[in-house]
Amino acid sequence: LLANKQGYPFLGNDLLSELGDCCSCHDIPNPDEESEKELMRFYGPDVPMATITRLTLLFKDLRAGVDNGLLSYPYSTRELLNIVKHLQRFPEDGLVLAIQNVFSFDAYDADLAAHLQKTLHEHGIPSGIGPQATVALSKPEHLSRSAVVEE
């Protein structure tokens, strides 16, 4: 059973009080920096190591923000892995579009978006979140003039 820490934004049941007498509960922290890089390299062998390092350090800072009470959502290895897998599968999307999959919902909270933008920029990553962001789903393709065809 995988469960998040109790507290905001996860307002579910306290796992230990609900299952502590039935199961052996263990707290498993996020991997250390080198292990996380190795994991990302496994899932993103074609993603440049400099990008993986930059993202790993970014998520380390975001987790520190949770520990320091600046952020409430505990960005985990799961979100980092989603970004790397996106970059591996769709390298033409680039880093900005890949991180939008993780951070776009956070743009609705102006204070959170500002903090995320600051943290992303500290790591040399353009945020792509907030009111100025745009999303390009595909390249525009001009269609020829339509014509009615009868059989």
Side-chain angles (χ1 to χ4, degrees), residues 41 43-48 87-88:
R41 173 51 75 211
Y43 283 97
D46 300 323
V47 177
L87 290 170
Q88 176 66 29

Side-chain angles (χ1 to χ4, degrees), residues 10-142:
F10 308 106
L11 302 177
N13 296 323
D14 179 8
L15 179 70
L16 190 58
S17 68
E18 296 293 330
L19 298 175
D21 57 342
C22 302
C23 302
S24 178
C25 299
H26 302 278
D27 179 35
I28 301 173
N30 288 301
D32 63 77
E33 186 178 323
E34 289 307 312
S35 298
E36 199 164 53
K37 285 181 193 177
E38 192 174 321
L39 179 65
M40 296 307 122
R41 173 51 75 211
F42 177 80
Y43 283 97
D46 300 323
V47 177
M49 196 61 200
T51 301
I52 288 175
T53 299
R54 184 177 291 171
L55 289 168
T56 302
L57 293 173
L58 166 69
F59 272 73
K60 182 179 176 183
D61 281 357
L62 291 173
R63 291 179 197 128
V66 173
D67 294 339
N68 296 330
L70 300 171
L71 298 170
S72 60
Y73 185 78
Y75 296 98
S76 69
T77 301
R78 176 178 45 223
E79 286 89 8
L80 175 56
L81 185 58
N82 285 333
I83 293 171
V84 171
K85 286 168 68 175
H86 184 113
L87 290 170
Q88 176 66 29
R89 183 142 185 211
F90 307 104
E92 68 281 355
D93 281 357
L95 190 54
V96 173
L97 285 179
I99 66 171
Q100 283 179 349
N101 285 336
V102 171
F103 299 119
S104 61
F105 185 75
D106 299 324
Y108 293 102
D109 180 337
D111 293 334
L112 176 57
H115 182 77
L116 288 173
Q117 286 175 346
K118 178 180 173 279
T119 306
L120 287 161
H121 285 266
E122 286 172 357
H123 290 275
I125 301 171
S127 70
I129 58 173
Q132 79 289 351
T134 59
V135 176
L137 298 177
S138 65
K139 294 179 181 176
E141 184 175 324
H142 298 286

